[in-house]
Amino acid sequence: MVDLLKSREDIDRIDRQIISLLEERMDIAKNVAEYKISVGKKVYDKQREDEKLETLGSLASNEFNKHAAQELFTQIMSISRKLQYTLVKTESVSKSFEAIDKLPITADTKVVFFGQEGTYTQQCMEDYFGTDIDSFNELTFRKVMEAVKEGRADYGVLPIENSSTGGISDIYDLLLEYDNYIVGEHVVQIQNALLGLEGATIENLKTVYSHPQPLMQCAKFLEEHDYIEKKEYLSTAASAKKVMEDGDITQAAIGSKKAAGCYGLKILKDSINFDNTNCTRFIIIANQKIFLKDANKVSICFELPHKSGTLYNMLSHFIYNNLNMVKIESRPINGKNFEYRFFVDVEGNLCDAGVINALRGIKEEASSVRVLGNIKKE
Ligand SMILES: O=C(O)C(=O)C[C@]1(C(=O)O)C=C[C@@H](O)C=C1
């Protein structure tokens, strides 16, 4: 049997050779980049990489080593591309974004929020902008997006993610559709209460109205009271208003304590969400490509060719540039069954070299990429 020390010495010798060859290969990749810059050729040459993997695989003496060689060279060529992107300096996807010191907020600033008087979104807006602003509400997410896109509001406030039930997928789809940008975020503690009319009791309820999100956040309570029919409605505040207007003591709404005050309802039971730490993250949107100079979270969206390994390869741009990915969501692409686009948040600022490099690589290798915003995270 060969002694362990001897084997390790041999491995160390071979690894030194590999490093020296890797460095030589990287220097050549730089020459290739210079050539590509001079003739305007793209860094990524898929055909060349596929041919190389085929040839290199065939040099191996068994199936295990063939697979290993192909895996290793997939990585080597991916790193070679990353080096080339730093030299080629294609136009950055974030080039048109303007860095600012502070979000412009004046007495004339108009803010649109989702829902009605008494929604959590209104509470978020007041926490973020204060109460001295000119605001109005819209009853659907789409209408909020429209008001911002058309410039009827400078900013819009929308929920994007709940700590108990996850991402609010409609918002992701609408962000792309309306070409609006995320310029801020705020997290609000959500304590859902069961609201009813004077004289109502939990035992005698027949119907409960709320937005689909709070209905999900209170799923456990609603399962335990399954004689109450759940009905999805526009918003928590619109549900409270409906219960007040219908004047039927068998109806209840799920919403905030504030909504109870706004619509003259009483609290039949407080905090019926299944998770006591329940909170929602709201986004502030604008139709301007602006970001704060001290922003530290970048949101992007990309689409990938429907092939194995493409997501892994795309995420490698973050890893290679030392960027911490803090969120990933996928959404189906309409018209392309079972193909997805990905929404990713990474820590960083659009001016950081690492972010610029990662975005450059993703732009070259994804089917499409968009920066949705760069905000200061809470
Ligand atoms: O041959 C090229 O065009 C290169 O840029 C070199 C290389 C490699 O490292 O082998 C890197 C990127 C291309 O996608 C293909 C191959």
Side-chain angles (χ1 to χ4, degrees):
M1 198 191 309
V2 184
D3 175 62
L4 175 64
L5 275 181
K6 166 78 182 82
S7 295
R8 286 187 172 170
E9 267 170 28
D10 288 344
I11 283 180
D12 289 346
R13 177 179 43 79
I14 292 167
D15 287 350
R16 275 194 297 275
Q17 288 171 10
I18 292 176
I19 294 292
S20 156
L21 290 172
L22 181 73
E23 289 198 311
E24 199 180 330
R25 196 184 195 285
M26 285 305 204
D27 283 341
I28 297 171
K30 281 187 195 163
N31 298 341
V32 176
E34 273 170 28
Y35 173 82
K36 287 186 174 174
I37 294 168
S38 71
V39 298
K41 190 171 163 22
K42 276 188 170 300
V43 169
Y44 187 30
D45 185 335
K46 190 173 174 323
Q47 194 187 341
R48 165 76 176 157
E49 291 199 15
D50 287 348
E51 283 164 10
K52 274 211 67 79
L53 291 179
E54 191 57 42
T55 321
L56 291 165
S58 69
L59 296 178
S61 55
N62 61 44
E63 272 308 301
F64 189 92
N65 287 354
K66 175 181 175 178
H67 183 70
Q70 289 177 331
E71 183 85 18
L72 178 66
F73 276 89
T74 300
Q75 288 308 318
I76 289 179
M77 289 190 285
S78 160
I79 292 166
S80 159
R81 274 183 264 130
K82 287 181 177 79
L83 171 72
Q84 295 188 46
Y85 293 135
T86 64
L87 304 167
V88 171
K89 292 202 172 20
T90 47
E91 194 170 88
S92 157
V93 265
S94 58
K95 193 177 158 267
S96 45
F97 278 75
E98 186 197 348
I100 53 172
D101 290 314
K102 247 173 108 226
L103 282 186
I105 301 172
T106 66
D108 297 331
T109 299
K110 255 202 150 82
V111 184
V112 55
F113 65 97
F114 162 71
Q116 256 168 329
E117 180 77 8
T119 51
Y120 293 111
T121 320
Q122 184 191 29
Q123 186 191 324
C124 167
M125 176 186 72
E126 291 179 359
D127 288 355
Y128 195 88
F129 291 97
T131 46
D132 267 353
I133 42 149
D134 191 1
S135 68
F136 65 99
N137 65 306
E138 288 288 2
L139 292 183
T140 64
F141 295 157
R142 180 176 288 282
K143 286 198 165 144
V144 171
M145 286 284 177
E146 253 164 35
V148 173
K149 185 73 225 165
E150 291 164 7
R152 284 183 282 118
D154 302 293
Y155 301 106
V157 185
L158 288 163
I160 191 159
E161 180 185 11
N162 177 265
S163 59
S164 327
T165 54
I168 301 172
S169 38
D170 293 349
I171 301 291
Y172 291 98
D173 297 343
L174 288 167
L175 271 171
L176 282 189
E177 191 180 329
Y178 281 92
D179 211 7
N180 285 323
Y181 300 91
I182 308 171
V183 295
E185 73 173 10
H186 181 56
V187 177
V188 175
Q189 278 288 328
I190 307 281
Q191 291 300 343
N192 290 305
L194 186 68
L195 317 174
L197 290 163
E198 207 50 60
T201 58
I202 297 181
E203 297 71 40
N204 293 327
L205 290 178
K206 286 190 181 145
T207 324
V208 62
Y209 294 92
S210 198
H211 187 268
Q213 283 293 321
L215 287 175
M216 281 195 274
Q217 293 156 22
C218 301
K220 196 160 174 283
F221 174 88
L222 294 170
E223 266 166 37
E224 286 162 6
H225 299 78
D226 58 2
Y227 56 89
I228 312 176
E229 192 188 352
K230 294 178 284 182
K231 285 205 172 154
E232 292 186 357
Y233 207 58
L234 290 169
S235 69
T236 50
S239 305
K241 187 163 180 262
K242 177 175 171 50
V243 170
M244 182 266 287
E245 283 170 356
D246 288 358
D248 174 353
I249 60 163
T250 69
Q251 290 184 2
I254 294 176
S256 65
K257 284 189 193 168
K258 186 170 177 197
C262 291
Y263 300 103
L265 299 180
K266 70 169 188 174
I267 295 167
L268 301 177
K269 193 165 169 52
D270 198 4
S271 294
I272 58 166
N273 29 274
F274 60 79
D275 179 355
N276 251 341
T277 62
N278 189 37
C279 55
T280 295
R281 187 165 71 86
F282 291 85
I283 50 170
I284 316 300
I285 56 163
N287 69 5
Q288 310 285 313
K289 288 180 165 182
I290 47 175
F291 68 101
L292 296 178
K293 284 183 181 155
D294 60 352
N296 53 11
K297 185 168 76 174
V298 181
S299 300
I300 68 163
C301 166
F302 52 79
E303 286 179 21
L304 299 175
H306 195 38
K307 288 197 193 92
S308 115
T310 47
L311 178 61
Y312 171 82
N313 180 45
M314 217 48 63
L315 299 183
S316 76
H317 288 283
F318 300 128
I319 298 163
Y320 205 79
N321 286 291
N322 260 328
L323 299 176
N324 186 23
M325 187 175 85
V326 287
K327 186 171 167 58
I328 181 162
E329 287 271 340
S330 67
R331 292 286 304 143
I333 304 175
N334 286 345
K336 295 185 184 173
N337 284 353
F338 305 113
E339 289 200 24
Y340 300 90
R341 63 170 62 94
F342 295 88
F343 293 84
V344 169
D345 287 350
V346 287
E347 288 175 351
N349 185 286
L350 288 176
C351 295
D352 296 345
V355 171
I356 294 170
N357 267 339
L359 290 181
R360 204 167 261 147
I362 292 170
K363 183 185 164 205
E364 293 301 309
E365 294 174 13
S367 315
S368 69
V369 60
R370 261 190 56 186
V371 174
L372 300 174
N374 187 193
I375 60 168
K376 200 162 156 45
K377 69 174 188 280
E378 278 215 335

